[in-house]
Amino acid sequence: MDPSIDRLGRALSSLRISVTDRCNLRCAYCMPEEEYKWLPRDRLLRFDEIARLVDVFTSLGVHKVRLTGGEPLLRPELASLVRLLAAKPALRELALTTNGVLLAEQASALRDAGLGRVTVSLDTLREDVFQSLTRRPGLERVLHGIETATRLWPGAVKLDMVVMRDVNEREIPALFEFARAQGAELRFIEYMDVGGATRWNERTVVSRQEILERMQRAFGAIEAVVEDSTAPAERFRAADGTLFGIIASTTTPFCRRCDRARLTADGMWYMCLYARLGLDLRELARGSASDDEIARRIAASWSARQERGAELRLEELRRGPLVAVEDLRTDPHLEMHTRGG
Ligand code: SAM
Ligand code: SF4
């Protein structure tokens, strides 16, 4: 039996690494609370420890790494980590997900260090909506970051928009036009009831179906793109040929093809965004465990993996937030901004 194939036939091929749990925004769908409990700084993995774990993961078949957070650009010297990882031949893809606020100033260093792809979260083009959604100013800086990124990584920039009712759903056409003008692929994301989303309710979710209807009303016929992919987004083509994606984890989960796992900034490894329990790789790596032993522990967990968190949530009749605020305070690893989205 291949240790990197789980019980549902899914290969371990993608790893999201959160490099910090801190953030310079407070998005309503991710960090709506006033107070947060942060991971102790001395517990964060050093870059050499991350690089070592990445070697272990690539030996098991991982070939894509995405750096995320919290806000990854808050991690000092991030370009040094990118340089370490970009030098690994087994990694076919090295990407970053950022809110874009600090992107313009760091983009050149990241590109020179070998970063291959960038996804920027962009939920609105209106400063007033940006400020009420994120509780911080900064839209101009995000837009500047996107322009810089599309210049430095032509054809390799994506924009992610979490669509929420009565917040930004009317901006669906405007965001599509903006992304098209920038040469970036837009992905609409359904509002998810994950840890951190303590204000989640079903009414605020704008479904895949409704997003498609709104796109059709604005731009005419939409065609589904047929592709065999493990990517979370389903892709569509607008009448003018422009591609866009929808990540419909709330109404149409992609668990059956999910090949990704997540590493928190302090080295907890989770096999599902919805999982309560993880494996403490920092403890193993800082203890006396050899690379082979760490690989064996990871493979044993993955080969027993049956997780399909989003699908199971779908089966629940009455849905509310996944995790209670008190539980998030007791274990910040349950937070989306700790787990890396
Ligand atoms: N700070 C970076 C950013 O915002 O791009 C990276 C980390 S963030 C946790 C990663 C992604 O998770 C973002 O695209 C964000 O929009 C998404 N996200 C966070 N909470 C979400 C929720 N409740 N539903 C859907 N997407 C969410
Ligand atoms: Fe927003 Fe990303 Fe920060 Fe969460 S981690 S509050 S999604 S910018």
Side-chain angles (χ1 to χ4, degrees):
M1 195 176 65
D2 184 339
S4 343
I5 303 290
D6 76 5
R7 298 271 286 273
L8 301 178
R10 300 166 296 185
L12 170 58
S13 51
S14 161
L15 182 68
R16 297 178 69 101
I17 303 177
S18 171
V19 293
T20 178
D21 58 332
R22 313 278 167 138
C23 193
N24 45 2
L25 298 181
R26 289 290 180 274
C27 301
Y29 47 75
C30 180
M31 300 185 75
E33 303 299 321
E34 291 303 322
E35 302 272 330
Y36 283 95
K37 190 172 154 195
W38 306 109
L39 301 176
R41 281 179 196 261
D42 60 339
R43 294 217 191 161
L44 301 195
L45 295 177
R46 301 185 310 268
F47 290 167
D48 60 308
E49 292 174 319
I50 295 177
R52 175 182 173 207
L53 289 175
V54 166
D55 283 336
V56 174
F57 277 105
T58 54
S59 74
L60 292 167
V62 165
H63 52 80
K64 283 189 214 166
V65 162
R66 177 170 294 275
L67 302 176
T68 175
E71 174 45 40
L73 300 185
L74 289 177
R75 177 82 189 241
E77 308 293 333
L78 186 68
S80 309
L81 175 64
V82 169
R83 197 172 295 283
L84 278 179
L85 301 185
K88 299 192 181 300
L91 273 193
R92 280 188 246 145
E93 195 176 304
L94 179 58
L96 170 82
T97 295
T98 170
N99 63 31
V101 174
L102 300 170
L103 186 56
E105 58 213 64
Q106 297 189 28
S108 291
L110 293 167
R111 205 266 318 256
D112 293 349
L115 185 68
R117 311 188 65 84
V118 177
T119 298
V120 186
S121 298
L122 180 71
D123 303 319
T124 178
L125 293 168
R126 292 176 42 181
E127 182 64 41
D128 58 332
V129 178
F130 185 91
Q131 290 206 22
S132 68
L133 188 62
T134 69
R135 287 190 280 152
R136 301 283 188 277
L139 178 62
E140 279 305 313
R141 296 177 75 186
V142 175
L143 297 179
H144 186 206
I146 292 170
E147 279 155 23
T148 312
T150 51
R151 205 162 16 83
L152 294 182
W153 289 274
V157 176
K158 290 200 172 87
L159 301 181
D160 279 359
M161 173 190 190
V162 178
V163 188
M164 292 171 84
R165 189 167 316 286
D166 299 335
V167 175
N168 61 352
E169 88 271 34
R170 291 207 172 82
E171 289 191 73
I172 287 175
L175 262 291
F176 176 77
E177 283 169 344
F178 174 81
R180 181 174 60 190
Q182 291 287 326
E185 190 171 313
L186 178 64
R187 300 184 313 171
F188 300 107
I189 305 181
E190 287 181 351
Y191 180 25
M192 293 166 67
D193 56 348
V194 286
T198 49
R199 311 281 155 90
W200 189 90
N201 61 64
E202 259 169 322
R203 203 197 79 80
T204 312
V205 177
V206 178
S207 69
R208 164 190 181 279
Q209 184 58 32
E210 185 177 338
I211 293 168
L212 284 173
E213 283 164 11
R214 284 179 176 270
M215 283 294 292
Q216 253 152 12
R217 277 204 296 280
F219 302 107
I222 302 288
E223 186 196 342
V225 176
V226 181
E227 55 192 348
D228 183 20
S229 158
T230 57
E234 249 182 295
R235 288 165 97 218
F236 299 89
R237 189 176 287 108
D240 70 352
T242 308
L243 294 171
F244 65 95
I246 302 184
I247 302 180
S249 309
T250 304
T251 69
T252 325
F254 57 92
C255 299
R256 297 297 166 143
R257 47 176 215 280
C258 176
D259 64 350
R260 62 192 55 80
R262 298 174 158 79
L263 186 64
T264 63
D266 64 345
M268 290 295 293
W269 181 62
Y270 292 93
M271 297 187 294
C272 177
L273 189 51
Y274 288 78
R276 287 264 174 175
L277 298 176
L279 180 63
D280 188 347
L281 297 184
R282 175 180 48 93
E283 192 178 79
L284 283 175
R286 287 193 184 166
S288 54
S290 66
D291 289 3
D292 282 350
E293 279 170 64
I294 299 175
R296 270 198 298 279
R297 292 289 299 275
I298 293 171
S301 298
W302 190 268
S303 55
R305 177 184 189 241
Q306 303 197 59
E307 271 80 352
R308 45 188 194 94
E311 271 185 13
L312 293 178
R313 292 290 287 166
L314 200 57
E315 288 166 14
E316 285 177 33
L317 287 180
R318 278 169 199 274
R319 280 174 82 167
L322 175 72
V323 188
V325 183
E326 307 75 57
D327 292 350
L328 292 171
R329 297 224 166 97
T330 319
D331 184 2
H333 291 102
L334 298 169
E335 294 275 7
M336 182 76 149
H337 69 268
T338 309
R339 216 163 262 208

